[in-house]
Amino acid sequence: MIELLTPTQLDEMRPAGKFVGEVLTALSEAADVGVNLLDLDALAHDMIRKRGAESCYIDYHPSFGAMPFGKVLCTSVNDAVLHGLPHDYKLKDGDLASFDFAVSVDGWVCDSAVSVTVGTPRDEDVQLIAHAQEALDAAIAVARAGNKVGDISAAIGAVGRSHGLLINTQFGGHGVGRTMHGDPHIPNDGRAGRGFPLQPGLVIAIEPWFLHSTDEIVMDPDGWTIRSADGSRGAHVEHTIAITDGDPIVMTARG
């Protein structure tokens, strides 16, 4: 079911987006050589408690999950690109880490992700993150009333292919509102002019993710962490945005 929110409801959702942005900013600043992924999850959990928010992840158990997620933050490092389950791992110099975070504040959900380099960055990782951000920016630019979901997908895919990247479409963007995952599904590649029409009040999470040299993925034994099939590194960025009569609103913008 696709829900279109009123301007009043979009205003009610803004605090959730602001908080998600604040948490991802704090995590990006805290990610350093020697920092444990479990400590980053604890930082996010502490911020949730202090804000009086509700995690969308800790009890999340979709059909593909081997068990409830059990943590409040996705931490994907190097060849892990999606749904990374926090575990006892200390970040190392040169790591590429992605943090994906979603919460409900006053009944409204926002979802966002960021990728960062740790310590001394690898040039190819910096470029991959930049390509993912370029794709997100291109997707947001066409997320306007009168266009269609396919326009968003096509914009992401075009950027990826322009940099010689292969595009996986198994996991992508999605509707957001009272729950974390809803319709419409937004693949990271597609044909312009196709799919669900974008209308004022539609709130969606757009999330390009790219791997260096493959579009094939494999699942870890933990039943959550998704890695590249060839061991190459991945980058993942995401914003929750609202379609309006004019420019889209980036709900999860970071200062």
Side-chain angles (χ1 to χ4, degrees), residues 198-246:
L198 304 179
Q199 303 169 54
L202 178 67
V203 181
I204 52 177
I206 303 174
E207 48 181 315
W209 58 276
F210 296 145
L211 299 166
H212 272 303
S213 56
T214 185
D215 60 354
E216 298 294 326
I217 54 177
V218 295
M219 181 80 73
D220 266 11
D222 65 22
W224 283 101
T225 305
I226 293 175
R227 298 183 183 275
S228 66
D230 66 355
S232 64
R233 294 184 171 197
H236 175 206
V237 296
E238 177 182 17
H239 271 313
T240 294
I241 68 133
I243 308 298
T244 73
D245 289 318

Side-chain angles (χ1 to χ4, degrees), residues 15-177:
K18 182 175 184 293
F19 176 65
V20 168
E22 290 171 352
V23 172
L24 287 175
T25 296
L27 291 167
S28 299
E29 293 173 350
D32 203 353
V33 176
V35 174
N36 198 301
L37 297 182
L38 294 175
D39 291 334
L40 293 174
D41 184 74
L43 170 61
H45 208 161
D46 185 56
M47 292 182 74
I48 288 172
R49 282 193 294 264
K50 289 179 178 177
R51 180 61 177 80
E54 181 178 347
S55 172
C56 292
Y57 291 169
I58 199 162
D59 295 321
Y60 186 52
H61 192 185
S63 59
F64 63 81
M67 56 189 172
F69 191 73
K71 303 294 183 182
V72 302
L73 175 68
C74 291
T75 55
S76 304
V77 180
N78 296 334
D79 63 325
V81 68
L82 295 173
H83 307 159
L85 187 64
H87 59 286
D88 185 12
Y89 174 84
K90 292 182 179 180
L91 291 170
K92 299 176 182 177
D93 188 51
D95 277 348
L96 191 170
S98 299
F99 307 124
D100 192 354
F101 182 71
V103 295
S104 174
V105 175
D106 299 326
W108 294 107
V109 172
C110 280
D111 187 5
S112 187
V114 63
S115 290
V116 299
T117 55
V118 178
T120 307
R122 299 184 181 186
D123 289 343
E124 60 268 29
D125 292 342
V126 173
Q127 291 174 358
L128 189 65
I129 294 172
H131 298 337
Q133 186 61 52
E134 180 186 348
L136 180 58
D137 292 342
I140 292 172
V142 298
R144 306 179 70 89
N147 288 342
K148 295 187 176 181
V149 163
D151 295 302
I152 295 174
S153 299
I156 294 170
V159 170
R161 286 191 301 276
S162 75
H163 296 295
L165 300 171
L166 301 172
I167 315 296
N168 180 290
T169 57
Q170 290 171 259
F171 295 91
H174 49 87
V176 181

